[in-house]
């Protein structure tokens, strides 16, 4: 009975939330300091559209546990070795598709694709093994991305340490 309830609760909460909770419990159990970040809203050279090819940078840093997110460069630098979970999403501009890639040390890991005709959303996630000093960022490989000109944020990027190598 307990196992069925546990499985049902995982489905209800969703895999992403379950992974987040599991990673927090793991960090607390190991008594390690937390590593993680969440950033939002495109920082663009033009008003609200970013054109490929471009490294995706962000206007707002919501969370930067351990200071591993470099806002100026738009890159996460792993402070320790371990398994890290990343998730990201974005929206294409009104008349263009886009391909957004998660990059580790400038090598493609996974992509998200949003097609035309109007403001299509795309996102993806990955669990990556990182060594200290490995760098992770988002790269707009093709097309254009859009973000709201006001306070709303359509593009986000989150990563956190799930398990540290000891």
């Amino acid at each position: 009975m307990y196992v069925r309830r546990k499985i049902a609760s995982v489905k209800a909460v969703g895999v992403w939330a379950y992974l987040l909770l599991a990673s927090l419990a793991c960090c607390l159990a190991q008594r390690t300091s937390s590593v993680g970040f969440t950033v939002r809203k495109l920082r663009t050279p033009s008003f609200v559209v970013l054109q490929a090819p471009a490294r995706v940078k962000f206007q707002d840093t919501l969370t930067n546990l351990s200071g591993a997110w470099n806002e100026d460069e738009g890159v996460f630098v792993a402070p320790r070795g371990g398994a890290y979970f990343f998730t990201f999403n974005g929206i294409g501009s009104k008349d263009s598709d886009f391909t957004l890639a998660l990059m580790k040390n400038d090598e493609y890991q996974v992509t998200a694709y949003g097609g035309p005709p109007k403001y299509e959303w795309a996102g993806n996630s990955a669990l990556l093994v990182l060594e200290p000093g490995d760098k992770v960022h988002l790269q707009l490989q093709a097309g254009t991305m859009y973000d709201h000109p006001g306070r709303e944020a359509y593009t986000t990027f989150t990563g956190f340490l799930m398990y540290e190598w000891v």
Side-chain angles (χ1 to χ4, degrees):
M1 184 70 159
Y2 174 76
V3 171
R4 277 190 236 151
R5 274 189 277 169
K6 184 76 169 171
I7 291 171
S9 69
V10 168
K11 288 180 182 176
V13 172
V15 174
W16 184 87
Y18 180 77
L19 288 171
L20 176 62
L21 293 173
S23 72
L24 291 175
C26 176
C27 288
L28 292 173
Q30 293 180 22
R31 298 186 189 274
T32 62
S33 60
S34 297
V35 177
F37 71 94
T38 294
V39 291
R40 69 176 181 187
K41 198 162 187 64
L42 291 174
R43 186 178 349 146
T44 62
S46 64
F47 184 53
V48 291
V49 176
L50 181 65
Q51 294 185 316
R55 177 176 290 193
V56 178
K57 296 182 181 178
F58 295 87
Q59 291 183 29
D60 302 324
T61 300
L62 298 179
T63 306
N64 191 8
L65 303 174
S66 81
W69 174 256
N70 181 322
E71 186 174 317
D72 294 332
E73 297 297 319
V75 65
F76 171 79
V77 181
R80 323 188 255 283
Y84 289 80
F85 181 77
F86 295 93
T87 187
F88 61 95
N89 60 68
I91 291 182
S93 62
K94 184 177 180 181
D95 300 318
S96 175
D97 60 350
F98 73 99
T99 303
L100 184 60
L102 179 68
M103 308 293 284
K104 173 185 168 185
N105 297 328
D106 292 322
E107 294 196 19
Y108 151 83
Q109 303 299 302
V110 296
T111 57
Y113 173 78
K118 291 186 178 181
Y119 304 111
E120 290 296 320
W121 174 90
N124 209 336
S125 302
L127 180 67
L128 301 179
V129 173
L130 301 180
E131 297 300 327
D134 282 348
K135 296 179 179 183
V136 177
H137 72 275
L138 294 180
Q139 182 78 22
L140 180 59
Q141 294 181 318
T144 58
M145 290 178 64
Y146 169 82
D147 218 323
H148 195 277
R151 293 185 47 91
E152 288 84 7
Y154 299 147
T155 305
T156 62
F157 183 27
T158 296
F160 55 88
L161 176 64
M162 290 193 63
Y163 184 80
E164 181 177 354
W165 307 147
V166 182

